[in-house]
Amino acid sequence: MISADFIRGYVDLLVLESLLDQPSYGYAISKRIEELSRGQYEMKETTLYSAVRRLEKTGAVTSFQGTHSQGRARTYYRLTEFGRRFYDEKCEEWRQTVALVGRFVRDPH
């Protein structure tokens, strides 16, 4: 498992990636993240919904009511054009972070 502390600064990137192709709802976003991480990272529900609320406030995602599931309408989230640009920025930031940290990682002896 990857430490949640290590991922903390990139939670938004993980959520945004999950919305690139189509709108989705909380549980499906969580499962997508778990699947892409191949079980190495599991996002807690509170972390996911905090990220979604933060992304909504910045205008990166919007929410809407979807179809009913077991009597309740699901809240879906959709990436905005700003959200797509923000995702691209976060990806570039990640690449720069990997390059920087890589300078400090030595091969084992």
Side-chain angles (χ1 to χ4, degrees):
M1 291 291 281
I2 301 292
S3 163
D5 287 338
F6 183 77
I7 298 291
R8 185 168 291 132
Y10 293 94
V11 166
D12 291 355
L13 184 146
L14 304 183
V15 172
L16 292 169
E17 190 286 331
S18 298
L19 298 171
L20 280 175
D21 297 327
Q22 63 187 9
S24 192
Y25 57 96
Y27 180 76
I29 294 169
S30 177
K31 285 299 169 195
R32 166 95 176 148
I33 291 168
E34 188 177 339
E35 177 185 298
L36 282 179
S37 74
R38 296 183 185 144
Q40 289 185 290
Y41 178 70
E42 186 176 326
M43 187 176 291
K44 293 186 171 134
E45 190 174 328
T46 55
T47 302
L48 173 64
Y49 286 104
S50 292
V52 168
R53 280 192 298 277
R54 184 173 53 253
L55 291 166
E56 269 191 296
K57 284 181 183 177
T58 65
V61 302
T62 58
S63 61
F64 63 94
Q65 293 300 306
T67 58
H68 291 273
S69 172
Q70 299 175 354
R72 277 184 59 200
R74 283 188 176 142
T75 300
Y76 280 78
Y77 303 96
R78 175 184 293 123
L79 202 58
T80 64
E81 282 306 312
F82 170 75
R84 288 182 186 282
R85 289 192 307 274
F86 186 59
Y87 170 77
D88 290 340
E89 289 170 15
K90 293 300 278 182
C91 287
E92 181 56 31
E93 179 184 294
W94 173 252
R95 288 182 200 90
Q96 291 176 14
T97 301
V98 168
L100 172 65
V101 173
R103 294 180 204 143
F104 297 89
V105 177
R106 295 182 182 187
D107 289 330
H109 299 292

